[in-house]
């Protein structure tokens, strides 16, 4: 699996539509999404997948910037339901992991998820790529980050969660990941961002800038529960070497001030059961690390927070060769993820590389 910072053929996304996670029938999330898709399309071709009932709406909104195709789905998060692409240097193939809405009937986030389960297979079909299907193995794309040179970073809280692969030991999970992603070194962080409903996806707390160099979500506020989590990640990353034997250069990317779900935002979401949407006042898992590395660009989430400027400054410093663009992400973020979770890169296959 190439690193995300390597050249892309295109970026895949899904039109936001869920009424129980986005507010006001997802209208505000759709507006934010258009800005987002338009920005990515300046750097690489974009494909937007959409359910049939919203095809015309999506086409009118983003058809000018993206290829819009009908592809049934249950939710917006292409990073997690889409194919993970791998290449052997001359050919590209997809991996269609099992998907159970972040924990199935144990602690998953919705039911049913049958359309999401098929998104990756359909993507591979559309680009005529062969598709691997690991048997009885649940994984989301947001729970893995690779450096393209043999190193994979994951979190224990997610990959060892009860709702995913409880029948497998940590060693057995490692075997599957090594085989399908062709990695030789797996670095296990303990947890992701505080209260992240994905059981702590790695892509909200950590990212590779390039081989040997990474960013880590951070806070200087020792009273914030995030502090102990980030500090533990920092200690693990500083004591590890990657697959090539390098010590990692770690950049601390300060999180925004805590953001809480407001009563007004909650009221805008459809109530679908006793425990959804969550209560007003619930802290949301905000992190600038949830950015997308596009061809020649980095597109990062802005939270209208005092730390937005510091995030932009750091990203510009560590990505001098890329344009760094901030996008107001709040409406998409209300859905539980962010910019990185909403995308899936298709790497350029070997021959074009
Ligand atoms: O963070 C992600 N990769 C997706 C979050 C999904 C939340 C569903 N409500």
């Amino acid at each position: 699996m190439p690193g995300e910072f390597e050249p892309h053929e295109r970026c895949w996304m899904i039109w936001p539509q869920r009424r129980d996670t986005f507010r006001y029938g997802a209208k505000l999330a759709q507006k934010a999404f258009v800005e987002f898709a338009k920005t990515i399309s300046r750097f690489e071709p974009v494909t937007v997948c959409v359910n049939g009932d919203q095809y015309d709406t999506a086409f009118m909104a983003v058809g000018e910037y993206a290829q819009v195709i009908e592809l049934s789905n249950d939710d917006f998060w292409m990073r997690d339901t889409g194919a993970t692409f791998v290449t052997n240097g001359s050919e590209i193939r997809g991996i269609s992991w099992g998907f159970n809405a972040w924990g199935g009937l144990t602690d998953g986030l919705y039911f049913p998820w049958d359309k999401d389960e098929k998104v990756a297979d359909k993507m591979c079909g559309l680009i005529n790529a062969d598709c691997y299907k690991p048997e009885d193995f649940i994984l989301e794309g947001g729970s893995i980050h690779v450096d393209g040179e043999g190193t994979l970073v994951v979190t224990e809280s997610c990959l060892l969660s009860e709702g995913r692969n409880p029948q497998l030991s940590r060693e057995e999970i490692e075997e599957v990941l090594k085989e399908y992603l062709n990695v030789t070194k797996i670095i296990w962080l303990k947890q992701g961002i505080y209260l992240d409903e994905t059981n702590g996806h790695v892509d909200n707390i950590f990212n590779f800038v390039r081989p040997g160099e990474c960013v880590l979500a951070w806070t200087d506020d020792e009273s914030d529960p995030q502090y102990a989590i980030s500090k533990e990640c920092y200690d693990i990353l500083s004591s590890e070497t990657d697959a090539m034997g390098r010590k990692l250069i770690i950049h601390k990317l300060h999180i925004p001030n805590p953001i809480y779900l407001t009563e007004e935002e909650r009221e805008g979401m459809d109530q679908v059961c006793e425990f959804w949407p969550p209560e007003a006042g619930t802290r949301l898992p905000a992190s600038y690390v949830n950015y997308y590395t596009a061809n020649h660009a980095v597109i990062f989430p802005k939270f209208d927070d005092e730390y937005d400027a510091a995030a932009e400054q750091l990203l510009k410093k560590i990505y001098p060769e890329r344009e760094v663009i901030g996008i107001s992400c709040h409406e998409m973020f209300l859905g539980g993820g962010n910019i990185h979770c909403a995308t899936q890169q298709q790497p350029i296959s070997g021959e074009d590389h």
Side-chain angles (χ1 to χ4, degrees):
M1 181 184 178
E4 189 174 315
F5 43 80
E6 295 181 55
H8 302 172
E9 179 82 36
R10 67 176 48 248
C11 175
W12 293 78
M13 290 195 275
I14 294 173
W15 178 250
Q17 185 179 353
R18 277 191 86 93
R19 308 172 62 90
D20 56 343
T21 56
F22 299 114
R23 58 180 170 154
Y24 307 132
K27 288 324 280 178
L28 299 175
Q30 289 169 2
K31 195 160 172 239
F33 176 80
V34 173
E35 190 53 34
F36 175 39
K38 184 176 164 186
T39 304
I40 297 187
S41 74
R42 286 178 45 209
F43 302 97
E44 57 198 44
V46 172
T47 295
V48 175
C49 303
V50 58
N51 284 311
D53 63 325
Q54 286 267 310
Y55 181 85
D56 290 340
T57 312
F59 185 80
M60 292 310 293
V62 291
E64 193 181 330
Y65 318 109
Q67 175 190 47
V68 182
I69 56 168
E70 186 175 329
L71 197 154
S72 309
N73 59 80
D74 299 295
D75 201 359
F76 171 60
W77 305 105
M78 175 56 94
R79 175 66 50 183
D80 294 341
T81 56
T84 296
F85 291 107
V86 292
T87 175
N88 63 0
S90 61
E91 187 189 338
I92 190 165
R93 292 188 182 166
I95 306 172
S96 171
W97 311 103
F99 179 80
N100 69 358
W102 304 277
L105 300 182
T106 306
D107 61 349
L109 299 175
Y110 52 74
F111 178 89
W113 54 79
D114 55 308
K115 297 190 190 75
D116 279 346
E117 240 288 310
K118 295 184 188 127
V119 168
D121 308 57
K122 291 179 181 175
M123 286 164 68
C124 292
L126 283 163
I127 61 164
N128 283 324
D130 282 346
C131 186
Y132 296 109
K133 258 184 120 40
E135 213 174 312
D136 294 329
F137 190 76
I138 301 292
L139 189 93
E140 303 95 40
S143 68
I144 55 172
H145 255 314
V146 296
D147 68 355
E149 295 190 355
T151 316
L152 167 69
V153 180
V154 296
T155 59
E156 288 183 3
S157 58
C158 178
L159 269 74
L160 304 182
S161 68
E162 267 302 295
R164 288 181 174 80
N165 302 294
Q167 77 287 5
L168 299 180
S169 67
R170 176 185 171 121
E171 291 68 33
E172 288 167 329
I173 290 173
E174 286 206 340
E175 268 173 44
V176 177
L177 296 171
K178 284 180 175 169
E179 182 184 354
Y180 282 89
L181 299 172
N182 194 25
V183 293
T184 53
K185 172 78 184 260
I186 302 179
I187 299 177
W188 290 82
L189 305 178
K190 300 282 182 209
Q191 299 176 60
I193 290 290
Y194 180 59
L195 296 184
D196 187 326
E197 64 189 14
T198 62
N199 303 95
H201 270 184
V202 74
D203 71 343
N204 212 13
I205 194 161
F206 169 94
N207 196 1
F208 278 112
V209 177
R210 53 186 67 81
E213 198 169 338
C214 64
V215 286
L216 174 68
W218 186 258
T219 177
D220 292 327
D221 179 0
E222 296 190 19
S223 68
D224 186 330
Q226 185 59 48
Y227 180 83
I229 299 173
S230 290
K231 172 76 169 58
E232 192 172 39
C233 291
Y234 186 84
D235 291 344
I236 292 170
L237 291 166
S238 334
S239 65
E240 286 279 5
T241 50
D242 66 14
M244 305 296 269
R246 289 174 291 235
K247 295 293 286 181
L248 290 168
I249 299 168
I250 308 164
H251 302 282
K252 294 174 176 171
L253 188 48
H254 205 289
I255 58 171
N257 288 297
I259 300 173
Y260 302 95
L261 185 67
T262 67
E263 187 58 53
E264 193 203 344
E265 288 164 349
R266 184 185 190 276
E267 277 177 6
M269 297 167 181
D270 286 5
Q271 175 145 19
V272 289
C273 62
E274 269 170 51
F275 55 86
W276 196 268
E279 284 178 17
T282 301
R283 183 167 168 181
L284 304 173
S287 161
Y288 297 104
V289 169
N290 209 307
Y291 61 84
Y292 180 61
T293 312
N295 289 340
H296 309 295
V298 163
I299 297 153
F300 78 98
K302 288 209 294 198
F303 297 91
D304 300 320
D305 185 88
E306 62 172 318
Y307 284 103
D308 286 3
E312 181 164 359
Q313 204 177 7
L314 178 69
L315 290 169
K316 281 186 168 156
K317 189 171 137 215
I318 62 181
Y319 288 102
E321 71 288 10
R322 293 178 198 258
E323 197 174 329
V324 173
I325 303 167
I327 299 269
S328 286
C329 66
H330 189 73
E331 295 301 329
M332 290 191 290
F333 168 61
L334 286 179
N338 218 316
I339 284 178
H340 190 258
C341 314
T343 56
Q344 184 60 256
Q345 72 280 358
Q346 178 186 331
I348 284 181
S349 65
E351 281 155 0
D352 310 322
H353 201 309

